[in-house]
Amino acid sequence: MKILRKLTAALSAFCLSAVIHAGPALAQTIPFYAEGFGTYNPADGTYAAPGVGTLLGRYDNFGGVQVTPTDDPFVFNFESSGTNLGISGGDVLETAFQDGTLTVTPVEGEEGLFTAVWEADVVVIGGAGVYADVESHRKPLKIVAVNEPFSFSDTEWKFGWTLTGKVDLGGPKKVVSRPLKIKGAGVVSELPSVDTPWGVQGNASGLGRYTSPPVDSAEANLVSVDFDPRFSPLEGRVPFSGTSTFIAADGSELSLDFEGFISILPNGELRWVADFIPAVEMCTGRFSEVESGSVVMLATSPPLGLGEIPFSWFGGGHLVISK
């Protein structure tokens, strides 16, 4: 039985190593996820919608929308072009909306108020920085935006949005890109101010069961609130950034820097979203050959109280491994 257990452990270690060090992929296709909030100006058809996205961190999202009526007075078609500009690194992803549908719904019991849902295919048309060689994937990205209640006399319509799918980074150099999915739970010692410790544990592909440095240690993960006028606490959205280290059972460390924003929901709960980018010089062991990557994490916390803030999270993205 001991021999069987040792053999099982050895096979598991071999399989995990194969996942991390496998040969080059044929295409540099990566999962893409972004979400945020914004305002639409019905007078001129422009929008501004900052958010957090893969390989962009916190970013500006802006453009114009052309809306055309249909036979149904509550359904419209729309097309648009958009620019997604990474705030920190200056990376750019250019997109265009196709086959867009805007569905307006009256708010029950509230005369003159409506909600609206925007849905469209989103194709990639170019980029800069990490997206300099980007190519349109065979399946377009999908965007869904939902307006808060508004009247047609309002000068701005507020909305939240998500953008999901896959993109091909393209270019002459095809790299080894491996998916990373992660989940877990942890605590932040308090609502982030400056260098606030936090810790987490859970499970992740390529890591197995992972932990993080103790919150009372000098190596603790840290998170800080940033000054960023695009994400105003007065609007219930707090920008943050920080550092993280995930420690695998064999001691290998995957270190990542992140930035994102906290949404304070109407019921007082917190929703965190952030883009995690490998801090390659800090990665060790099985992750010492990580070159880059991006993992977007989503976390939720109960309404604020005294003391520690618990959270649960999940996320997905990719790591780029040296050949």
Side-chain angles (χ1 to χ4, degrees), residues 55-80:
L55 288 175
L56 289 168
R58 286 199 301 268
Y59 72 93
D60 280 339
N61 177 4
F62 50 88
V65 179
Q66 299 82 44
V67 178
T68 56
T70 68
D71 293 337
D72 187 330
F74 293 107
V75 178
F76 302 82
N77 296 324
F78 73 91
E79 294 183 353
S80 173

Side-chain angles (χ1 to χ4, degrees), residues 57-125:
R58 286 199 301 268
Y59 72 93
D60 280 339
N61 177 4
F62 50 88
V65 179
Q66 299 82 44
V67 178
T68 56
T70 68
D71 293 337
D72 187 330
F74 293 107
V75 178
F76 302 82
N77 296 324
F78 73 91
E79 294 183 353
S80 173
S81 60
T83 298
N84 309 300
L85 173 62
I87 294 169
S88 298
D91 301 303
V92 177
L93 181 65
E94 297 279 357
T95 57
F97 298 174
Q98 296 181 343
D99 301 322
T101 300
L102 164 61
T103 304
V104 178
T105 304
V107 177
E108 187 175 354
E110 298 287 346
E111 186 176 354
L113 287 184
F114 302 85
T115 59
V117 177
W118 308 67
E119 299 179 271
D121 291 341
V122 180
V123 295
V124 174
I125 57 177

Side-chain angles (χ1 to χ4, degrees), residues 119-304:
E119 299 179 271
D121 291 341
V122 180
V123 295
V124 174
I125 57 177
V130 295
Y131 287 111
D133 298 314
V134 71
E135 300 171 0
S136 184
H137 189 59
R138 59 185 179 83
K139 290 185 177 181
L141 300 164
K142 297 288 185 179
I143 191 165
V144 178
V146 180
N147 285 104
E148 299 176 9
F150 63 90
S151 72
F152 283 101
S153 61
D154 291 342
T155 57
E156 289 185 340
W157 302 0
K158 295 183 178 180
F159 60 88
W161 59 270
T162 58
L163 178 61
T164 57
K166 294 180 179 180
V167 296
D168 187 346
L169 296 183
K173 178 185 177 182
K174 299 299 183 182
V175 300
V176 182
S177 180
R178 290 290 172 261
L180 174 64
K181 293 187 179 297
I182 188 168
K183 63 180 180 179
V187 294
V188 181
S189 62
E190 60 186 19
L191 187 65
S193 52
V194 176
D195 290 343
T196 302
W198 66 282
V200 68
Q201 60 182 359
N203 288 277
S205 56
L207 276 160
R209 182 156 183 81
Y210 68 87
T211 58
S212 59
V215 295
D216 58 355
S217 70
E219 294 77 28
N221 298 335
L222 300 175
V223 57
S224 300
V225 166
D226 299 334
F227 174 74
D228 188 336
R230 304 169 186 84
F231 301 80
S232 169
L234 297 177
E235 295 288 334
R237 296 179 177 93
V238 181
F240 69 93
S241 63
T243 61
S244 64
T245 297
F246 304 140
I247 307 171
D250 68 353
S252 298
E253 297 186 357
L254 175 62
S255 294
L256 306 102
D257 298 327
F258 60 85
E259 59 179 21
F261 69 92
I262 307 167
S263 293
I264 304 174
L265 305 180
N267 63 1
E269 292 182 355
L270 306 181
R271 189 172 190 277
W272 314 62
V273 56
D275 184 32
F276 284 64
I277 302 293
V280 295
E281 70 282 357
M282 302 294 291
C283 296
T284 66
R286 289 184 284 117
F287 303 103
S288 59
E289 295 181 354
V290 169
E291 290 186 344
S292 61
S294 176
V295 184
V296 177
M297 303 284 202
L298 304 175
T300 56
S301 297
L304 288 175

